[in-house]
Amino acid sequence: KAKGKTTRSMRQNALFVQPVAPNMPEKPPTKQQEKSVDDTEKSSSHQEQASSEVMNSETEHDEDVAGGDDEEVASLPRRRKKRYAVSVRWEREYEEERTRGRRKKICTGTSEDFHTCCCCCSRRVGSMFFLLEKRDGSPIIVAGPCWPFCTFVTVPLILGCSGLVSYYVVLNKDSGLPSWFGFIYFPFLAMALVSLFCVSCRDPGLLERVTDEEAGNGGWFWNEQVGSFRPPGAMYCRECKVLIQDYDHLCPWTGTGIGRGNMWAFKWFVISINILCYFSIALVAYFLLSGL
């Protein structure tokens, strides 16, 4: 009986026990699967290499650009400004004033008072004042040593005389002149003022200082006043205190020296101012004679 009970219980337990599958051996991968895996690995490695090369090239390009910008910025302050052939005596006195820190006297009773008050922000080269210049030191707008005479005598004289003639004769309806006559007179006035500006505010032909002995062998002459060789035709101006190419003379009416740089403008100014002067005299004579 005991044996029958045990066999019966074992059968019942066997009904509730789930069969466990035996450990089956894994199938080896086929050749096609191995090729696909290798291809995917190769493609991923190629993509990684290409992306790394692109990143490296971009960083190198950025470094080159940054390096180029740094070199350009570093080269800007290193650009040497032109050293003009200035009076050695004036240069020595100017350096002594700068080193000792002397202040210029304001009330001296000379033209230096105008220079001190009106040209304090300009760069001075001898008796020339660079109001506007390029990076290399070449002047764009320059004032000569006699600029106060030009500003306070020449310009008011031209404007005053032509203003009186235009008010009492040209624009006066009782003068008997036709209304279109002003279209002839005022262009001559504008021409004279523009030519005056081109003469007085233009570089007359300032030369740089040359101390190389090869220049002397090339036909240049040594100038002791500026400590530089000068080409044929260049002369030293005592008032301007600089060496000027093809120097002609110093004109106080225009306020500066006349050289190669402003010679054509000076000739045009002389022609236009003479035409304006004779034209004004003729208009005044016509007005006075017509009233008799």
Side-chain angles (χ1 to χ4, degrees):
K1 288 180 181 179
K3 288 180 180 179
K5 288 180 181 179
T6 54
T7 54
R8 200 180 282 171
S9 63
M10 289 175 67
R11 286 176 182 175
Q12 290 176 355
N13 290 332
L15 292 172
F16 293 101
V17 174
Q18 295 179 356
V20 178
N23 293 329
M24 299 295 291
E26 294 180 358
K27 292 182 180 181
T30 61
K31 292 182 179 181
Q32 292 180 354
Q33 291 177 350
E34 289 179 355
K35 286 182 180 179
S36 64
V37 171
D38 293 337
D39 293 337
T40 54
E41 289 179 355
K42 286 180 182 178
S43 63
S44 63
S45 65
H46 285 309
Q47 288 178 357
E48 290 178 357
Q49 266 184 349
S51 63
S52 64
E53 288 177 358
V54 170
M55 292 292 291
N56 290 330
S57 64
E58 287 179 354
T59 53
E60 288 177 359
H61 178 69
D62 293 338
E63 288 178 358
D64 293 338
V65 172
D69 294 339
D70 294 339
E71 289 177 359
E72 289 179 0
V73 173
S75 64
L76 286 176
R78 292 179 183 176
R79 288 181 181 176
R80 185 182 65 88
K81 285 190 174 183
K82 291 182 179 180
R83 254 187 101 189
Y84 290 99
V86 192
S87 171
V88 177
R89 181 179 178 182
W90 174 87
E91 199 171 16
R92 184 170 57 251
E93 293 176 355
Y94 183 73
E95 290 296 330
E96 289 178 357
E97 289 180 358
R98 288 183 61 186
T99 53
R100 294 179 183 179
R102 292 181 180 177
R103 293 183 179 180
K104 293 183 178 180
K105 296 180 180 180
I106 298 177
C107 297
T108 59
T110 61
S111 60
E112 288 295 328
D113 298 339
F114 293 99
H115 302 332
T116 305
C117 297
C118 302
C119 299
C120 58
C121 298
S122 61
R123 185 166 78 96
R124 185 166 183 173
V125 178
S127 294
M128 308 292 288
F129 301 90
F130 291 4
L131 304 178
L132 184 63
E133 58 182 344
K134 299 178 182 178
R135 290 182 179 178
D136 60 350
S138 301
I140 300 174
I141 299 177
V142 59
C146 301
W147 70 265
F149 188 87
C150 176
T151 305
F152 300 108
V153 176
T154 306
V155 175
L157 193 61
I158 295 173
L159 292 177
C161 293
S162 59
L164 291 173
V165 172
S166 61
Y167 180 76
Y168 287 104
V169 181
V170 179
L171 301 177
N172 190 5
K173 296 180 180 180
D174 299 331
S175 62
L177 291 174
S179 59
W180 52 265
F181 209 79
F183 293 100
I184 300 174
Y185 182 78
F186 291 115
F188 282 110
L189 175 61
M191 197 183 302
L193 293 174
V194 170
S195 59
L196 175 62
F197 176 80
C198 292
V199 176
S200 58
C201 298
R202 193 175 180 182
D203 180 12
L206 305 179
L207 292 175
E208 295 185 61
R209 179 169 288 166
V210 179
T211 56
D212 192 359
E213 293 182 357
E214 293 181 358
N217 298 329
W220 289 31
F221 305 96
W222 177 260
N223 192 314
E224 193 68 29
Q225 293 170 316
V226 296
S228 171
F229 286 97
R230 64 173 181 85
M235 292 183 65
Y236 173 74
C237 178
R238 293 182 180 179
E239 289 78 10
C240 301
K241 295 182 176 62
V242 289
L243 198 66
I244 300 176
Q245 181 66 38
D246 295 339
Y247 176 72
D248 190 77
H249 68 285
L250 178 76
C251 180
W253 296 97
T254 58
T256 187
I258 308 301
R260 175 182 288 183
N262 56 1
M263 178 59 75
W264 284 104
F266 176 75
K267 292 179 179 179
W268 187 248
F269 169 71
V270 171
I271 293 171
S272 60
I273 199 67
N274 276 284
I275 293 173
L276 181 65
C277 181
Y278 293 131
F279 200 7
S280 300
I281 293 172
L283 289 175
V284 172
Y286 171 79
F287 178 72
L288 292 176
L289 292 174
S290 62
L292 295 177

